[in-house]
Amino acid sequence: MASGLTASKVFIVLSYVLSAFAALFYLLPNEGEKHFLTPFSGILIVNAIYWVLTLLFQFLFIVKVLFNENVTQTNQSSVIAVVGPHFIISNVLNSLWIYFFTRERFWLSEALLFVNLLNLLTLYFSHKTIAIKSLPDWLTIHLPVTGIPLAWTLYAIFWNGACMFHSHNKTLLPRVLANVFIWEFLFVPMALLMLYSDWSVALATSFLMLGVGFRQMFTKLIAFQWIFAFVISGADFIFAVLSMFNTAIGQVDTARSQDSAPLLA
């Protein structure tokens, strides 16, 4: 039992290091190349901040849950058994996506994104990390392991897909289609917000859309894409913050009575 727990921790840490290395040393330095410029491309500084925050939150997840002596072995084993495999798979698939994406193997990288989407949706709906009652545990587990990666994967599917079909802002039809598809970044976060009171995807998506807005404004000023991106970013942010404040008090009260409860239901 102890050896299996230790092995799981090692794989979790290694997958995190692999994902961090791929994002910081492959994706971010190369994403500004013309092959990756589409109506869904974001500005580098915003994407860089997004990835730094993602890795920071995931690092806190590893430290506070896996290597925290205050967490009981039962809770620790529960989190590793339920969340660990999905976290490892997500990190590995993300690293592979970056590898093939930066080498312009867009069809293969798109397929990897859909596999990771299925992996994250399984974690979201089957294991229900959104249902964690304690606010600190929710912020430590759901936000970095499910919410933020899910928002990025949904965004990357459209960015990668636009690259796959060579939509590089040169012709009218791809721009028109992008003007339609960009509203997915409002509908999906709002659906999760209304159905599950989950503001993590909406908040993360608002940040990504902010990056898209700035990049598209600097790329093609006379266009709708950057306007739509800013509108979506603002709407996602406002509703996410309202939901966050609306549920925070109830979650804090629940957390006080659930200090010794399992981290995952």
Side-chain angles (χ1 to χ4, degrees), residues 205-264:
T205 301
S206 73
F207 195 75
L208 291 171
M209 287 299 99
L210 183 67
V212 171
F214 280 118
R215 181 60 179 269
Q216 299 308 310
M217 183 175 63
F218 295 142
T219 300
K220 196 173 186 65
L221 184 61
I222 309 301
F224 288 111
Q225 191 74 348
W226 65 270
I227 299 174
F228 291 162
F230 282 138
V231 170
I232 293 169
S233 175
D236 283 343
F237 179 79
I238 290 171
F239 284 107
V241 171
L242 289 175
S243 177
M244 180 170 53
F245 280 104
N246 186 51
T247 58
I249 296 177
Q251 288 183 329
V252 169
D253 290 340
T254 302
R256 289 173 179 172
S257 62
Q258 296 288 335
D259 289 337
S260 60
L263 296 182
L264 293 172

Side-chain angles (χ1 to χ4, degrees), residues 150 154 183-193 201-202 236:
L150 180 59
L154 289 169
W183 291 99
E184 179 274 342
F185 298 106
L186 177 65
F187 297 145
V188 172
M190 288 302 101
L192 295 176
L193 200 60
V201 176
D236 283 343

Side-chain angles (χ1 to χ4, degrees), residues 150-162:
L150 180 59
W152 174 264
T153 303
L154 289 169
Y155 163 71
I157 285 173
F158 284 86
W159 181 23
N160 191 109

Side-chain angles (χ1 to χ4, degrees), residues 28 31 41-54 152 155 203-215 218 230 233:
L28 295 179
E31 72 166 50
S41 298
I43 198 167
L44 175 59
I45 184 63
V46 173
N47 284 351
I49 293 173
Y50 187 93
W51 269 105
V52 168
L53 291 175
T54 299
W152 174 264
Y155 163 71
L203 190 63
T205 301
S206 73
F207 195 75
L208 291 171
M209 287 299 99
L210 183 67
V212 171
F214 280 118
R215 181 60 179 269
F218 295 142
F230 282 138
S233 175

